[in-house]
Amino acid sequence: MAVSSVPDVHYKYYMVVSPLDGRLYVTDQQNLRIIRVKTMGAVRELTQNFEVVAGNGQQCVPGDPDQCGDGAAATGARLFYPKGNWTFSSFEGEKTTRITFRFQLVA
C-alpha cells in the first residue's frame, strides 16, 4: 500500500510562540508580513482569526535608503521575506512587544 505524500509547498511558514504573551506568531512570506493568531480555541471564521503585526505587503530591498521603515510602526514596514531567528523583548512599563528577526541573503 502506497503512502500519499504532501505536495511541495512553495512558501514555508515559520511559527513561534512568544515567551512574553504565549501567542502564536506566523511568517507569511508570500504576503510579506507577520501575523499573530488571535485565539487557539474554536473559531467560526479562520480568515478573521489573525491580525497583522508587521509588514505592509510591500517588499523591502536590502540597502533601501529609508531602511524599509525601521523606527516606525511595524505594520507600515516593508519586509524581505520574513523568516527564522525570532527575538521577543519588552521593557518595564512598555505596553508593546518588540519582535526582531534576521534574514539572510543567499546569492
Side-chain angles (χ1 to χ4, degrees):
M1 178 155 119
V3 176
S4 63
S5 62
V6 176
D8 289 338
V9 176
H10 296 286
Y11 295 95
K12 293 182 180 177
Y13 296 89
Y14 295 83
M15 298 180 282
V16 66
V17 174
S18 168
L20 298 177
D21 63 13
R23 311 262 309 266
L24 177 64
Y25 292 79
V26 182
T27 61
D28 181 356
Q29 291 184 40
Q30 185 173 9
N31 293 307
L32 304 167
R33 61 190 184 171
I34 297 174
I35 61 173
R36 177 174 49 211
V37 176
K38 289 182 179 179
T39 181
M40 297 298 285
V43 177
R44 291 180 189 251
E45 183 63 46
L46 289 176
T47 60
Q48 301 298 313
N49 192 39
F50 71 90
E51 56 194 340
V52 176
V53 295
N56 65 6
Q58 296 177 354
Q59 183 176 2
C60 171
V61 178
D64 188 273
D66 74 350
Q67 299 179 328
C68 300
D70 282 357
T75 53
R78 295 184 313 280
L79 302 180
F80 184 79
Y81 302 104
K83 61 182 175 240
N85 297 333
W86 298 71
T87 303
F88 289 85
S89 61
S90 182
F91 298 97
E92 190 173 334
E94 234 182 21
K95 294 182 181 179
T96 60
T97 301
R98 297 173 190 265
I99 304 170
T100 58
F101 55 93
R102 294 181 349 166
F103 65 85
Q104 180 179 4
L105 295 177
V106 178

